[in-house]
Amino acid sequence: MRVDDFDFELPQDLIALRPASPRDAARMLVVRPGRLEDRVVRDLPGLLEPGDVLVFNDTRVIPAQLFGRKGEAKIGVTLHKREGPYDWRAFVRNAKRLKAGDRVDFGAGLEGIVTEKAADGSILWRFECEGPLEAALHAAGTMPLPPYIAGKRPADARDAEDYQTMFAAREGAVAAPTAALHFTPELIAALDARGVGRETLTLHVGAGTFLPVKVDDTRDHRMHAEWGEVSAEAAARLNAARKAGGRIIAVGTTSLRLLESAAREDGEIVPFRGDTDIFITPGYRFRTVQGLMTNFHLPRSTLFMLVSALMGLETMRGAYAHAIGGGYRFYSYGDSSLLLP
């Protein structure tokens, strides 16, 4: 399909710079075939049935934004994907100033050596520091806010909490699984009382999620790989829930993409541990999920393509036009949608 098919105009004042407070007070557009309904996130228990299962991503965002110097040159680095104990692939501003073997000082005792410049523009770094790399990143790095927020304000102390979900447990993401930012202990208690189950899996979201699609045809786009894991226990429970008639509702596109990566052709979910670069566009046959809770995505993005694959492009065009007209807040800190095909 043409990438232009997934374009739309979004007023800049609808880009949310802070999350709703409390989190479950965010608005939620419920999208069904031929029907749109304006709700709020705390209405979710009444929109689901006992036996349904919500699937969350328990990745935790690390301080993946680094600023360093090579001589007089300023180097901005956004970590993307871990390749080893001290090795990370990253996207770099001023990358043309770097060559293999160059050393950059990021402060707080952290230095990086360029080991490879890839064809996709990313750079592989070998970091050097005293002690664990994780501690050095927390000392030297800042929260990697999405570019559409970072371009309007700097990251601050509030983001260290605001940009983590309540499920965040396993460090490794450089972007939050933002659909789950709307959940609170009170909402989880209400879902428990309703008989809605929940499972967690892990997909360490990479910075590639924010990269624009630069090709004209979706067939020519290549996704950056991300590491994920679905445990054997979680897979077994999800399969049992489906057999019992429950719906699997992915919370976020990250959870959905990992579930689909771990699925057999018949929809059975199997244990999974490794990289996935799954790219879902209209025409894809979903095997595991019966719904998706997700925020509103960028035009021409792989994520808008994914929701269009689930619901149909015209349905999502109509839903986004409704959201824009109704003043819904967009992107990572914005409002939510519940897609029920």
Side-chain angles (χ1 to χ4, degrees), residues 29-94:
L29 180 61
V30 182
V31 183
R32 298 182 177 92
R35 180 182 170 193
L36 302 175
E37 187 178 359
D38 298 301
R39 305 292 287 262
V40 295
V41 170
R42 63 169 62 107
D43 292 336
L44 184 62
L47 295 165
L48 301 179
E49 299 294 335
D52 290 345
V53 180
L54 293 168
V55 182
F56 297 93
N57 184 356
D58 68 359
T59 190
R60 186 172 185 84
V61 183
I62 63 171
Q65 193 74 57
L66 301 171
F67 298 95
R69 284 187 174 274
K70 173 184 172 288
E72 296 300 315
K74 296 181 179 179
I75 307 295
V77 172
T78 302
L79 301 181
H80 168 58
K81 183 174 183 292
R82 194 166 199 158
E83 301 283 359
Y86 287 86
D87 301 284
W88 273 86
R89 193 165 297 279
F91 300 111
V92 179
R93 290 197 299 274
N94 280 345

Side-chain angles (χ1 to χ4, degrees), residues 108-176:
L110 179 66
E111 292 189 341
I113 301 169
V114 176
T115 59
E116 175 191 299
K117 296 185 72 173
D120 65 359
S122 66
I123 287 180
L124 185 62
W125 294 86
R126 166 67 55 83
F127 288 105
E128 294 183 350
C129 57
E130 292 291 333
L133 177 58
E134 290 76 10
L137 290 176
H138 278 276
T142 59
M143 288 298 281
L145 287 182
Y148 43 76
I149 296 176
K152 295 176 180 290
R153 66 166 181 83
D156 57 29
R158 282 180 57 184
D159 293 305
E161 180 176 347
D162 286 347
Y163 202 53
Q164 300 281 14
T165 75
M166 64 176 290
F167 310 98
R170 302 179 68 181
E171 287 201 339
V174 303

